[in-house]
Amino acid sequence: MSLLSKFRPAPSPPMDLDPEKTGRTWLITGATNGIGRELARMVAAPGRRMILPARSLERAEELASELRESGAEVDIVKLNLAHLSSVHEAAAAVRALGTDIDVMVNNAGAVTGRRVLTDDGFERILATNFLAPFAFTNLLADLVTGRIVITGSHSHKKGHVDIGDPHFEHRKWSFPVAYSQSKLADQMWATALQKRLDDAGRGVSVLTAHPGWAHTNIQNASGVPPVDTALDFVSAQFAGTSREGAMPLLEAPAGYYPALTYLGPDGWLDMWGAPGVHEASALSLSEKATDRVWELGVRETGTDLPF
């Protein structure tokens, strides 16, 4: 329990998570750790079908066993966002399940303490936070009937997506710059995706949600053990819990907000508190700019919407 927990009562989840009202089938990426795991636990209920794409099948099976005790039906799919080949294989495996998806939550991502390239030649933070989820969603978009939720961050307001050098081949890499680029790309992707879904008459809403400051394994990203230990200790004392961080991601599909709502904690500095509505940056809503980010996603992943 953190030092501040007694001063910050945990927000209660929405009262009504009836599968008939909020969607029977949910797909949640990144459900084996932290915020994604807490989200999956809150969603699990009799009558709910849950699809869990995960890098670690062992951790996914452990979680699935727990969720099945809540009465949920659970399917596990192998997915490694650092490899486009895995994204395609996972999408094919989901399609083979033969079900529509009421709610798709793109929660999985990664951080690194140095510039790392994936096998596809992508800077890893951009790959796992934007490019791979972009491709995965495109490959499954025709199955989604209700809502798509993308995990955001206030860091998008300080970000810049370098269309000409997204992988830091010619500019200096730093974690803040790489992470904020990936999160601005996510926010812009949401805007561009909503426009295309509307143009296709799909009736699907895209929302973004940020967790605030929550204690998860994202703190262990510097690559320097003493620094990671110190950051983890501070986060454990002052950050919110994973459950608190998951609340905006749960509220987004369950709270019946309009498309392109950006949700996050409404407490001090937007770090803790009950889910509230926030303003995304003006850049992330610009049609011209977001179209360019969409084109970047298509160019790098070779995927686009199927309609």
Side-chain angles (χ1 to χ4, degrees):
M1 180 179 295
S2 73
L3 292 175
L4 296 185
S5 60
K6 63 181 179 181
F7 301 108
R8 295 184 292 98
S12 299
M15 295 300 294
D16 190 354
L17 286 173
D18 184 344
E20 294 301 318
K21 296 179 180 179
T22 56
R24 179 175 184 270
T25 302
W26 287 47
L27 183 153
I28 304 173
T29 68
T32 58
N33 280 301
I35 288 168
R37 181 171 56 197
E38 292 304 318
L39 176 63
R41 286 169 171 167
M42 289 188 282
V43 169
R48 183 90 67 199
R49 183 174 188 176
M50 303 178 68
I51 303 171
L52 307 180
R55 184 175 59 179
S56 170
L57 296 181
E58 181 180 357
R59 288 203 306 267
E61 189 52 56
E62 290 175 359
L63 176 62
S65 296
E66 177 185 339
L67 301 182
R68 288 172 184 134
E69 292 179 0
S70 299
E73 179 183 349
V74 184
D75 294 291
I76 296 171
V77 171
K78 176 74 172 179
L79 171 63
N80 186 339
L81 293 176
H83 303 281
L84 274 181
S85 60
S86 177
V87 172
H88 282 270
E89 291 167 3
V94 172
R95 301 188 75 87
L97 296 174
T99 181
D100 287 338
I101 300 166
D102 297 304
V103 177
M104 181 176 188
V105 182
N106 285 292
N107 167 70
V111 296
T112 61
R114 58 186 177 85
R115 180 177 179 263
V116 177
L117 296 182
T118 68
D119 290 345
D120 300 297
F122 302 152
E123 190 273 327
R124 188 167 182 176
I125 294 178
L126 187 68
T128 54
N129 291 0
F130 166 56
L131 291 173
F134 173 90
F136 193 50
T137 301
N138 284 344
L139 294 168
L140 296 175
D142 59 318
L143 301 182
V144 181
T145 61
R147 296 202 159 194
I148 297 172
V149 180
I150 299 169
T151 300
S153 167
H154 270 2
S155 68
H156 87 270
K157 298 180 180 182
K158 299 179 180 180
H160 166 69
V161 179
D162 191 323
I163 299 296
D165 187 21
H167 306 298
F168 296 86
E169 295 175 310
H170 307 293
R171 57 187 171 127
K172 183 178 179 180
W173 184 97
S174 72
F175 169 73
V177 173
Y179 186 74
S180 61
Q181 172 180 253
S182 74
K183 285 305 173 182
L184 177 57
D186 280 340
Q187 203 72 38
M188 299 174 86
W189 164 37
T191 301
L193 176 58
Q194 186 65 66
K195 176 181 180 294
R196 285 157 176 76
L197 291 169
D198 289 345
D199 289 347
R202 295 291 300 176
V204 174
S205 297
V206 183
L207 300 93
T208 56
H210 78 90
W213 185 16
H215 182 223
T216 68
N217 62 348
I218 196 174
Q219 282 80 34
N220 303 319
S222 75
V224 182
V227 173
D228 287 345
T229 299
L231 291 174
D232 187 68
F233 175 78
V234 171
S235 178
Q237 302 309 312
F238 297 102
T241 64
S242 295
R243 183 180 179 86
E244 289 175 296
M247 290 306 307
L249 276 76
L250 179 64
E251 190 81 2
Y256 306 103
Y257 293 94
L260 292 182
T261 297
Y262 175 45
L263 290 167
D266 65 357
W268 185 64
L269 296 180
D270 301 337
M271 292 195 296
W272 313 295
V277 177
H278 297 278
E279 288 188 11
S281 70
L283 179 61
S284 72
L285 299 173
S286 162
E287 182 173 341
K288 181 178 180 180
T290 58
D291 279 349
R292 293 186 69 202
V293 167
W294 185 274
E295 292 164 2
L296 170 66
V298 172
R299 182 187 80 201
E300 297 296 83
T301 70
T303 69
D304 205 339
L305 292 173
F307 39 75

